[in-house]
Amino acid sequence: MKTKQHNKVLVGIFNLLGSMSLLFVPTYVAADDLTHCVNRFHQTKSLCQCAVERGQQVFVDKQQAQQDRQINQKDAAFNKRQQQLLADPNLTEERIDIVCDRFNEQYVYEESLPQNERAKRVDSRQMSKQEIQTLTLKRREAAKDVHNLLDKFAASTKSYQTLFSQSGFCKGRYDLAKMKKEAPIIDKSTIGRLDNRTIYAGLKECGM
């Protein structure tokens, strides 16, 4: 008798836990968005198709806006630093270009070497002894050439310090130009499952 009562208690506990688990269903569903929309909101496939497309477009627009915002912020910071350099009467945009172009040769070479993706720089641990020696030589040559250019242009001490750094202004300008060129096109392939709120909002827009 006790065993039967004990079993009933266990069954009751499992049922309760099962009911509670429904409250914590992940926002993102396992089924495809269209099927989930039809089953969850009891709408037609055509209406759900419209809702899913609207939801995906919202996601794409947000991702694109975020990417554009990051690039614009970096662009604004770079332009501010360039204006500070141009306050030097001995510097012009053309002269800044000449200096940075010399460093660009080095940056292009460095990108051909093994990279530490996390640190976003050359990974010397994966390089051969010859590669390390060549890189060291190229950096020295670039530094020497840039020093001579800045000396020729009679750049101020502050401008010299800003432009002579191999990881400073010119590197930032190079990285920004590369970011603009390689910025991915945000499309539906980057989208995971739509959440219920997004699908519902899409249904409302589509005339539910």
Side-chain angles (χ1 to χ4, degrees):
M1 187 71 176
K2 289 184 178 180
T3 301
K4 290 183 179 180
Q5 291 179 343
H6 180 68
N7 289 340
K8 287 182 179 180
V9 171
L10 289 177
V11 171
I13 293 174
F14 288 138
N15 288 338
L16 177 61
L17 291 174
S19 299
M20 291 177 63
S21 68
L22 294 177
L23 300 176
F24 301 98
V25 174
T27 304
Y28 291 91
V29 297
D32 67 272
D33 293 327
L34 180 58
T35 301
H36 174 69
C37 174
V38 172
N39 295 335
R40 171 67 176 79
F41 297 99
H42 307 293
Q43 301 299 318
T44 64
K45 284 188 176 181
S46 59
L47 187 60
C48 279
Q49 182 65 46
C50 174
V52 169
E53 289 177 356
R54 292 289 181 89
Q56 290 175 336
Q57 190 59 52
V58 167
F59 180 90
V60 167
D61 291 343
K62 286 183 178 179
Q63 291 292 96
Q64 188 66 58
Q66 181 179 7
Q67 177 176 277
D68 293 344
R69 185 163 55 251
Q70 291 175 343
I71 291 178
N72 290 336
Q73 288 174 347
K74 290 181 180 294
D75 205 17
F78 166 78
N79 287 332
K80 182 178 180 180
R81 293 184 68 190
Q82 177 159 294
Q83 290 306 312
Q84 293 171 344
L85 283 170
L86 291 174
D88 185 338
N90 292 324
L91 286 181
T92 62
E93 288 189 24
E94 182 181 6
R95 287 183 171 183
I96 293 174
D97 288 344
I98 292 173
V99 171
C100 287
D101 285 346
R102 178 61 187 89
F103 271 142
N104 287 351
E105 295 177 26
Q106 174 192 316
Y107 301 146
V108 170
Y109 172 72
E110 289 185 1
E111 288 181 347
S112 69
L113 299 173
Q115 302 291 309
N116 183 321
E117 294 301 329
R118 178 176 296 182
K120 301 298 181 183
R121 63 187 180 191
V122 172
D123 191 346
S124 59
R125 294 172 302 177
Q126 300 183 49
M127 293 165 56
S128 66
K129 184 177 180 180
Q130 181 60 50
E131 287 176 327
I132 293 176
Q133 291 176 341
T134 301
L135 176 60
T136 301
L137 178 61
K138 284 185 175 294
R139 284 177 172 174
R140 287 176 180 172
E141 291 176 342
K144 180 180 178 181
D145 291 345
V146 167
H147 167 78
N148 291 336
L149 286 169
L150 293 173
D151 185 56
K152 175 183 176 182
F153 298 150
S156 67
T157 300
K158 185 176 182 179
S159 297
Y160 181 96
Q161 292 173 341
T162 300
L163 289 171
F164 185 71
S165 172
Q166 294 190 352
S167 60
F169 176 84
C170 290
K171 184 63 164 67
R173 190 176 88 155
Y174 178 85
D175 289 343
L176 178 58
K178 184 179 178 182
M179 180 184 295
K180 289 180 178 180
K181 182 179 180 181
E182 299 179 357
I185 298 175
I186 307 299
D187 56 36
K188 295 179 181 180
S189 66
T190 63
I191 301 176
R193 299 302 180 192
L194 297 178
D195 57 60
N196 290 333
R197 181 179 299 178
T198 301
I199 294 177
Y200 182 75
L203 286 171
K204 297 291 286 186
E205 287 186 28
C206 292
M208 182 180 71

